[in-house]
Amino acid sequence: MGCVYSVPGEEAAVVRSSPARDNSFIEKMKKTGRNIVVFYGSQTGTAEEFANRLSKDAHRYGLRGMAADPEEYDLSDLSRLSEIDKSLAVFCMATYGEGDPTDNAQDFYDWLQEADADLSGLRFAVFGLGNKTYEHFNAMGKYVDKRLEELGAQRIFELGLGDDDGNIRQYELVVHTDVNMNKVYTGEMGRLKSYENQKPPFDAKNPFLAKLTENRKLNEGGERHLMHLELDISNSKIRYESGDHVAVYPANDASLVNQFGEILGTDLDTIMSLNNLDEESNKKHPFPCPTSYRTALTYYLDITNPPRTNVLYELAQYATDTSEQEQLRKMASSSAEGKALYLGWVVEARRNILAILQDMPSLRPPIDHLCELLPRLQARYYSIASSSKVHPNAIHICAVTVEYETKTGRLNKGVATNWLKNKVPNENGRNSLVPMYVRKSQFRLPFKPSTPVIMIGPGTGIAPFIGFIQERAWLKEQGKEVGETVLYYGCRREREDYLYREELARFKQDGVLTQLNVAFSRDQAEKVPLLSLTPLPRCPEWEGNHEDGAVVMVYVQHLLKKNKEHIWKLVNDGNAHIYVCGDARNMARDVQNTFYDIVAEYGNMSQAQAVDYVKKLMTKGRYSLDVWS
């Protein structure tokens, strides 16, 4: 989706590397003066919140506690806890799926099963978090309590069994029947009425309402809709640099929101609050409250991405049909069959929460619990397609609308791009506004304008390079010495989706772009292996088995290979900076492999040495990536 970054409903994988003793909770407790450790096995965050609360409450009794993720520590150290005076280990353990441990407690569970440790010096207590509607109620809590005793540990408090069916809800619903509407949130991300009374600085919790001044289609044909948008940031005091990202807060489609009211039989204009039951928690509400269900579903909640398994786990209790309830529970389990069912029925079929409610007629959860469970609607990030040197009061966006048919025959649409596509500047005399802020990036032009740059950006990956080229042109106008500016761009067809064709041609004619190489991957009937404003010889390895030597597929990496000697001279002799923007899964990887090959060939290096050479370019900031997957 064109240098767009969003992770709605997904958690980024975190890679941890630790010195040998960093995974010892005993050493950490000794260093920080703690004597209570509260381990949590948590899938949805509830057990983790309980553990944090318990560890903080320890000070009331003259003790000091810490919450700990068992996945991060060596649990064999439990046998050493007696080294700490007045020590205690508490285990807040949720049960997941069919009596399984949560993902972060799986290693602890495996260790308990295999351990032959002497835990006679360990004092412990266990609190389980479960739901009586499930067959394996609190199985994990019961097992940990039983197994620790078998290993010789001393239980100092009886096993506690929390019942979610008895409503271990994090938030309590309050419906407001008589409320001052001036105190009701209508889509603001932070401060109430912040959209009516705008005050800088603008950031994620205080976005600026930018006026949309231009929204034009960039492509001349094809099924896709590629667009160029311009946002007016006058009087906002917002500053940006070429290569930065603009974050846009979109709104969910009104027709989807209305269907929730119809399916769940709810008045979406009801004003309500979801209040945290833990009064001492810093997070008072899951989203700004008080507000209406309509506002929450429109501006605050992600309703278009496939829900995670923890949401299915919580919703299962509301399915009145036995087979539907069993299916939901199975998909939420950690069994191989359950994982496969979730992957096929939810992920690969791209079923969002609305589709699941439609396909499971007996599943009708209370709308307040559904709103509690759904993740927040995230801002979408776009690489800025302009230079502040040329456009100090505007931010340009280049994007492609996302729209596809799922395996169930539904038409799924990207939230932000379709919302932006339908925005019309000055519609009926009214400003069309976009909540936004700028996120700084490390994707920067070289400090010295004379340094050569090689830019590789197929499709909407060209976005930041439009800003780069604008800035190089401005520097040239200021009398600065500007180094070689080389662009490798790719699209499907020359006559359909060659973005910014006129602008690029003008930059080439003015001498700002010293080389413009364009690959048209789907133009199979072309008589030459590539189309470029820089003359290049034919390349037999790209030609199909046609008598006229027509090309089947040409991508940016093929153009790099053809220009490999020039590329090497720019990088090795000219200290050029390399920039890649676009698809991380295929294009960025293929381009990087091409650079490995070029470096190995012209630098007389082994493949391993070439890889190291490119990695060092990255470390020095001379090989920069702005990619998405």
Side-chain angles (χ1 to χ4, degrees), residues 5 58 68 70 118 128 143 182 206 221 275 309 326 386 446 581 621:
Y5 304 81
D118 177 11
Y143 175 76
N182 287 322
N206 183 36
N275 300 332
T309 54
E326 287 177 356
S386 56
C581 182

Side-chain angles (χ1 to χ4, degrees), residues 1 8 249-253 256 298 301-305 377-378 380 382 402 412-422:
M1 189 162 61
Y249 281 111
N252 285 311
D253 189 292
L256 297 181
T298 302
L301 298 172
D302 181 355
I303 62 174
T304 59
N305 271 294
L377 180 61
Q378 301 295 318
R380 269 52 171 179
Y382 299 85
V402 176
N412 278 9
K413 296 182 178 182
V415 177
T417 53
N418 281 275
W419 178 72
L420 288 169
K421 174 188 173 183
N422 294 323

Side-chain angles (χ1 to χ4, degrees), residues 178-217:
D178 184 17
V179 64
N180 181 348
M181 293 306 290
N182 287 322
K183 295 184 178 180
V184 175
Y185 282 86
T186 57
E188 304 96 323
M189 293 299 146
R191 178 173 55 86
L192 185 66
K193 302 299 177 186
S194 61
Y195 285 169
E196 295 178 20
N197 182 19
Q198 295 253 277
K199 296 178 183 177
F202 297 104
D203 53 27
K205 292 185 178 179
N206 183 36
F208 176 67
L209 287 182
K211 183 169 64 175
L212 181 73
T213 57
E214 185 169 339
N215 184 356
R216 61 183 166 93
K217 187 177 180 182

